[in-house]
DNA sequence: AGAAAATAGTTTACGCGGAAACTAAATAGG
DNA sequence: CCTATTTAGTTTCCGCGTAAACTATTTTCT
């Protein structure tokens, strides 16, 4: 599962240098791994992490504008359109015209969407369960806190 | 159905729930931001983070097989082919046939490639300089250590 | 040796996500 | 009012990264 030490070709003596400590590099690898884990639990439904996140937030904010949700999730408008389109096609989300501002689009979950979120909430949040990775609960907490701070998403940001 | 049915027009009052603490979500946002920072410094050269990383590792391991490097960087073979192709087109990398195994491809940096890496090494590694983000040096160190552990890439396990 | 399997890398087809151009609706300015 | 600007979302086009199929070479097995 982890790096196969058995494979002892001379080629494996690779030098990585400071890249090993590069934030960008580590974030990339971490995300790849997280992505893979996600598919182990939710992949069977053909849903991607981003899609589940959107579903989740729509569920918490029914009737909100899709643009607002996109902005808060750092999703680009163009991408949001397609994302919502997919979710609608799957029957999880419904669009409704904003009555006051007819440019705006309100979105909310369908019954099916609510059920889906409720069912898979656990699996999704399991991502940071320490059983699934190398970190202790405290370490995971620290990591998440630091990432929140790094991204300016900690609740008590300056 | 629930009490959250109140339609929110206020943008700031968005609910995110446990997603805020989701490792996957935070990794995604962090990576987007890191990506943006990268372009501020190296974007002018039209080089992507992944490309610079590959360039870097080739520089540290001249003449190594491209597949070996790919594996160590969690890059898929197909992608590696295109990556190397681009780097060759830019004049940074050179291919040479492996003499013993004619299937294998050895790659190394050109003079231009070495110069480029030397020039931009500082800018690339600056990513984790605390001046560029919200974290103190110690916090950054902790974060990097935790990410290494999470990804199983902490070579010098504490 | 010769067929079969394994290995290295490439090509092809596809989906995701982004930038920019576009449409539609609301607001501002005269 | 009526044009001009802004805002919300969509569409179009493009590049990245992946899976799967493919080519070429090496190894294994009999």
């Amino acid at each position: 599962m982890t790096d196969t030490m058995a494979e002892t070709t001379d080629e494996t003596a690779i030098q990585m240098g400071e890249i090993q400590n590069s934030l960008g590099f580590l974030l990339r690898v971490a995300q790849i791994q997280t992505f893979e884990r996600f598919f182990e639990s939710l992949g069977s439904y053909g849903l991607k992490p981003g899609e589940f996140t959107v579903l989740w937030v729509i569920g918490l904010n029914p009737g909100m504008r899709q643009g607002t949700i996109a902005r808060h999730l750092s999703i680009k408008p163009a991408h949001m359109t397609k994302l919502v389109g997919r979710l609608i096609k799957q029957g999880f989300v419904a669009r409704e015209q904003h009555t006051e501002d007819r440019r705006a689009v309100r979105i909310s979950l369908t019954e099916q969407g609510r059920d889906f979120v409720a069912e898979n909430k656990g699996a999704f949040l399991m991502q940071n369960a320490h059983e699934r990775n190398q970190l202790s609960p405290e370490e995971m907490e620290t990591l998440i806190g630091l990432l929140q701070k790094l991204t300016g998403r900690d609740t008590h940001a300056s």
Side-chain angles (χ1 to χ4, degrees), chain A:
Chain A
M1 296 301 148
T2 47
D3 281 9
T4 41
M5 316 253 297
E7 193 178 291
T8 27
T9 33
D10 52 341
E11 304 268 17
T12 50
I14 194 168
Q15 297 293 323
M16 300 271 289
E18 289 102 315
I19 287 284
Q20 292 272 33
N21 303 319
S22 157
L23 181 61
F25 175 68
L26 289 168
L27 285 174
R28 172 176 157 275
V29 175
Q31 214 194 9
I32 289 174
Q33 292 183 356
T34 306
F35 208 84
E36 282 169 2
R37 288 215 190 88
F38 178 87
F39 281 125
E40 289 170 13
S41 37
L42 282 167
S44 44
Y45 299 91
L47 213 66
K48 262 76 50 76
E51 294 176 343
F52 190 85
T53 305
V54 169
L55 220 48
W56 174 274
V57 176
I58 294 174
L60 288 179
N61 304 272
M64 184 165 271
R65 290 187 185 186
Q66 85 173 42
T68 305
I69 291 177
R71 226 173 299 121
H72 279 271
L73 294 179
S74 301
I75 291 173
K76 296 286 148 57
H79 185 203
M80 189 64 175
T81 297
K82 296 177 205 173
L83 253 171
V84 171
R86 265 178 263 151
L87 293 174
I88 287 174
K89 200 144 94 183
Q90 288 177 288
F92 291 152
V93 167
R95 272 202 186 91
E96 22 166 336
Q97 199 74 305
H98 195 299
T99 38
E100 298 155 25
D101 185 341
R102 272 158 49 220
R103 294 168 304 179
V105 174
R106 291 181 177 283
I107 46 181
S108 46
L109 296 190
T110 61
E111 188 65 34
Q112 196 187 341
R114 277 190 293 275
D115 289 350
F116 182 81
V117 170
E119 263 171 49
N120 296 104
K121 169 183 172 171
F124 184 78
L125 296 172
M126 180 86 84
Q127 279 180 35
N128 41 352
H130 69 281
E131 296 89 23
R132 311 209 64 186
N133 54 52
Q134 327 293 131
L135 266 51
S136 73
E138 305 82 43
E139 286 173 327
M140 181 54 87
E141 210 174 313
T142 307
L143 174 59
I144 288 182
L146 286 172
L147 284 172
Q148 286 170 337
K149 200 169 178 187
L150 176 73
T151 57
R153 284 178 181 269
D154 58 335
T155 40
H156 43 283
S158 51

